[in-house]
């Protein structure tokens, strides 16, 4: 007697594709929708984990697209001021709502109500990228002028990139009651001051994240018809939750929502793909091998595994002989994963 499972592939069976595979050889990617070659402009945005993909693209000599370069600065100054961390200096974009509002500001003239936040040292910062300029700005006007220049660079990212890698990071955010704008950090963490009459906590639902991300993707495709999007979900747990429950429970909710939405985008848009970095790092097959002792930070072994899978499946090679070499690229320096820029870590500084 036949049954519908008698002809499925090995990768559809846990015993054959997970249990019998050595940990470092596990690769869950099946039928990637597109390839990246040396001519393709790859841009990144999102949470902290997206930075590993940008570094790998540069390491293998492919075209990582940076529209905000800081050409007149020394390498040390560029690093200090966060040039090249992402394709533009937008800092961490943790939520789909934050990405959508940035697009609307660039292309639809959206005017955020909040213009500048005051730091304790008397300097001012951009509320939507509060740590991008470590020395801050001398006045609100300087913040506004810097943002005007930044938005031009963001416009180029959306218009000129061939592939946009966006890493979904969080569902929790803080929102302005005046105009609905969301921030990467709560007011008062590094700058500004918290006022419950002006700000509110929000934990986005599946329906809300779906609406935000779907709308962004539709708008992006309208201004850049050739673009393809690679979605990932950050495997890094929340550093803190504002919900009155354990942070692990909130992490599970957040990642579940983001993973579901990524799947919905995959079924809705044939030019969108999902890269399972989340599954590679968090999968039970790894037994926690890819986390540091705090069970949160991804270690260099995890980053190397994710990047091997990325290169093997998404980077096109000039010939078949070159493919194994690319797939077995050496891991990044052991210290590199520790230099990832992550706004969310600032919360820990308040409650060490």
């Amino acid at each position: 007697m036949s049954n519908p499972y008698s002809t499925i592939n090995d990768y559809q069976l846990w015993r054959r594709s997970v249990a019998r595979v050595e940990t470092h050889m596990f690769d869950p990617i099946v039928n990637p929708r597109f390839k990246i070659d040396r001519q393709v402009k790859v841009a990144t945005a999102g949470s902290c984990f997206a930075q590993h993909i940008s570094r790998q693209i540069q390491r293998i000599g492919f075209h990582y697209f940076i529209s905000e370069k800081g050409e007149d600065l020394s390498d040390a100054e560029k690093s200090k001021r966060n040039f090249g961390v992402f394709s533009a200096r937008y800092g961490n974009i943790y939520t789909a709502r934050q990405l959508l509002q940035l697009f609307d500001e660039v292309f639809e003239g959206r005017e955020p109500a909040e213009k500048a936040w005051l730091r304790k040292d008397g300097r001012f910062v951009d509320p939507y990228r509060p740590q991008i300029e470590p020395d801050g700005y001398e006045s609100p006007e300087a913040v506004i002028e810097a943002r005007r220049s930044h938005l031009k660079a963001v416009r180029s990212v959306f218009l000129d990139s061939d592939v946009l890698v966006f890493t979904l990071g969080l569902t929790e955010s803080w929102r302005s009651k005046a105009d609905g704008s969301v921030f990467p950090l709560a007011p008062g963490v590094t700058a500004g001051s918290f006022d419950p009459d002006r700000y509110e906590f929000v934990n986005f639902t599946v329906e809300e994240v779906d609406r935000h991300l779907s709308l962004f993707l539709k708008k992006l495709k309208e201004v850049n018809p050739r673009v393809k999007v690679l979605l990932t979900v950050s495997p890094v747990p929340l550093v803190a939750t504002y919900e009155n429950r354990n942070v692990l429970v909130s992490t599970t909710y957040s990642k579940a929502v983001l993973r579901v939405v990524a799947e919905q985008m995959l079924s809705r848009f044939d030019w969108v793909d999902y890269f399972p970095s989340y599954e590679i790092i968090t999968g039970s097959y790894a037994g926690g091998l890819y986390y540091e002792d705090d069970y949160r930070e991804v270690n260099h072994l995890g980053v190397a595994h994710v990047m091997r899978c990325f290169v093997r499946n998404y980077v096109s090679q000039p010939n078949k002989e070159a493919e194994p070499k690319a797939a077995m690229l050496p891991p990044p320096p052991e210290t590199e994963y520790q230099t990832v820029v992550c706004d969310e870590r600032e919360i820990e500084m308040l409650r060490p």
Side-chain angles (χ1 to χ4, degrees):
M1 296 178 64
S2 64
N3 68 79
Y5 292 96
S6 60
T7 58
I8 63 175
N9 299 291
D10 283 353
Y11 57 75
Q12 294 173 271
L13 288 163
W14 183 275
R15 178 167 51 88
R16 294 184 182 181
S17 67
V18 181
R20 288 183 177 178
V21 177
E22 292 183 69
T23 300
H24 71 282
M25 295 298 293
F26 175 69
D27 185 349
I29 301 168
V30 177
N31 300 322
R33 289 184 171 180
F34 51 80
K35 294 283 187 176
I36 297 169
D37 60 31
R38 294 183 185 275
Q39 287 70 49
V40 170
K41 296 178 182 178
V42 183
T44 59
S47 72
C48 321
F49 201 77
Q51 296 167 48
H52 296 300
I53 293 178
S54 65
R55 288 172 176 172
Q56 183 72 338
I57 288 292
Q58 294 176 81
R59 182 178 291 112
I60 63 177
F62 278 52
H63 191 162
Y64 177 51
F65 182 51
I66 301 175
S67 64
E68 212 164 356
K69 298 180 180 179
E71 294 95 336
D72 300 331
L73 303 175
S74 66
D75 289 344
E77 193 68 13
K78 287 180 186 177
S79 177
K80 173 186 175 184
R81 298 174 61 189
N82 299 292
F83 283 90
V85 173
F86 293 104
S87 293
R89 292 173 74 221
Y90 23 63
N92 296 129
I93 300 177
Y94 287 117
T95 64
R97 180 68 184 89
Q98 192 183 345
L99 182 65
L100 175 61
Q101 76 184 21
L102 179 61
F103 184 95
D104 289 348
E105 190 176 355
V106 172
F107 289 97
E108 299 181 6
R110 185 181 189 275
E111 284 266 354
E114 303 273 339
K115 303 295 185 184
W117 282 351
L118 180 65
R119 282 195 324 205
K120 291 180 180 179
D121 62 359
R123 305 287 286 182
F124 292 87
V125 301
D126 187 333
Y128 308 100
R129 46 181 195 147
Q131 297 198 102
I132 206 68
E133 191 66 47
D135 295 333
Y137 298 91
E138 62 182 9
S139 67
E141 291 74 23
V143 174
I144 294 170
E145 181 58 33
R147 185 161 188 83
R148 188 176 295 117
S149 174
H150 166 63
L151 292 178
K152 291 179 182 178
V154 176
R155 182 181 183 90
S156 178
V157 171
F158 290 145
L159 288 177
D160 300 329
S161 59
D162 298 303
V163 175
L164 174 64
V165 181
F166 180 60
T167 300
L168 294 150
L170 300 174
T171 55
E172 293 190 15
S173 191
W174 288 88
R175 182 166 57 192
S176 167
K177 292 183 178 181
D179 66 347
S181 295
V182 297
F183 311 103
L185 281 175
V189 173
T190 59
S193 59
F194 180 70
D195 181 349
D197 292 330
R198 296 174 58 194
Y199 307 109
E200 62 185 353
F201 171 75
V202 59
N203 198 358
F204 292 114
T205 64
V206 168
E207 292 75 18
E208 289 171 319
V209 179
D210 180 288
R211 183 170 68 252
H212 299 155
L213 188 54
S214 181
L215 186 54
F216 166 77
L217 291 171
K218 290 175 182 177
K219 290 183 176 184
L220 177 64
K221 196 67 170 177
E222 288 176 359
V223 300
N224 185 354
R226 73 180 181 282
V227 74
K228 295 179 174 62
V229 173
L230 187 62
L231 296 175
T232 67
V233 172
S234 170
V236 180
L238 277 67
V239 73
T241 180
Y242 195 71
E243 297 282 6
N244 187 25
R245 62 189 178 199
N246 187 273
V247 65
L248 178 58
V249 177
S250 283
T251 292
T252 302
Y253 168 81
S254 181
K255 303 304 180 180
V257 167
L258 299 177
R259 183 61 187 89
V260 166
V261 171
E263 193 70 18
Q264 292 177 168
M265 298 304 106
L266 189 67
S267 63
R268 196 171 301 161
F269 305 104
D270 61 7
W271 46 275
V272 173
D273 206 358
Y274 172 72
F275 174 59
S277 57
Y278 177 80
E279 287 82 348
I280 294 170
I281 297 299
T282 67
S284 59
Y285 79 98
L289 175 67
Y290 294 145
Y291 284 105
E292 289 292 338
D293 292 340
D294 64 358
Y295 309 119
R296 181 176 182 273
E297 300 292 343
V298 178
N299 63 30
H300 70 285
L301 294 174
V303 171
H305 191 157
V306 167
M307 292 302 103
R308 283 198 303 273
C309 292
F310 177 80
V311 171
R312 184 183 300 126
N313 292 280
Y314 285 95
V315 175
S316 63
Q317 302 300 322
N319 53 59
K320 287 293 181 182
E321 288 73 25
E323 187 173 337
K325 295 179 182 179
M328 295 304 293
L329 281 171
E334 202 164 318
T335 56
E336 183 177 281
Y337 73 98
Q338 295 175 323
T339 63
V340 170
V341 178
C342 188
D343 291 329
E344 192 188 12
R345 286 179 184 156
E346 290 300 307
I347 300 174
E348 283 186 315
M349 304 304 292
L350 301 176
R351 294 287 300 273

